Amino acid sequence: MEYHIPTRGLIGFRSAFLTATRVKGHEYPFPGYEPWYGDISSTRTGVLVAAKDGMAVAYGLNNTQKRGQTFIEPGTTVYEGMIVGLYPKVRTWTLMSARKRN
């Protein structure tokens, strides 16, 4: 099977894609530009969002990873409102990924 799917429709889809294809699916390079075809129906998950500017630290990310899957590593500079991960339900969590241990 071959599909042409816009990039905006694939954000957050990689793990579901690998699970559905039992890691046998292939991701191919960008085939070219297409005209806008309208909105995409979604089974979107929520997102994890940084609460303030700073440097992501292991302590803060460890707590963040209890909520969902993160995209960043310790030492990454984050800004307020930056999406740092996926939350398994349709909800937005604002988290302190730059929070240090007290």
Side-chain angles (χ1 to χ4, degrees), residues 19-100:
T19 299
T21 63
R22 295 192 177 121
V23 194
K24 294 178 184 173
H26 298 283
E27 297 177 50
Y28 290 97
F30 180 68
Y33 291 99
E34 295 283 332
W36 176 269
Y37 289 109
D39 292 333
I40 298 174
S41 61
S42 174
T43 57
R44 270 296 163 211
T45 59
V47 293
L48 303 172
V49 176
K52 64 179 186 172
D53 297 346
M55 182 85 57
V57 294
Y59 176 75
L61 285 177
N62 185 40
N63 289 330
T64 302
Q65 288 172 344
K66 292 176 184 174
R67 303 269 188 223
Q69 176 185 359
T70 58
F71 302 146
I72 62 171
E73 300 289 327
T76 303
T77 302
V78 296
Y79 56 87
E80 183 178 349
M82 178 177 172
I83 296 174
V84 297
L86 291 177
Y87 184 68
K89 298 178 183 169
V90 181
R91 181 176 177 176
T92 298
W93 275 93
T94 303
L95 300 162
M96 305 280 273
S97 57
R99 179 180 172 190
K100 295 181 181 176

Side-chain angles (χ1 to χ4, degrees), residues 11 35 38:
I11 295 173

Side-chain angles (χ1 to χ4, degrees), residues 1-23:
M1 285 189 259
E2 185 175 311
Y3 294 95
H4 289 266
I5 303 168
T7 303
R8 65 189 171 93
L10 295 175
I11 295 173
F13 180 66
R14 185 175 187 277
S15 64
F17 174 76
L18 293 175
T19 299
T21 63
R22 295 192 177 121
V23 194

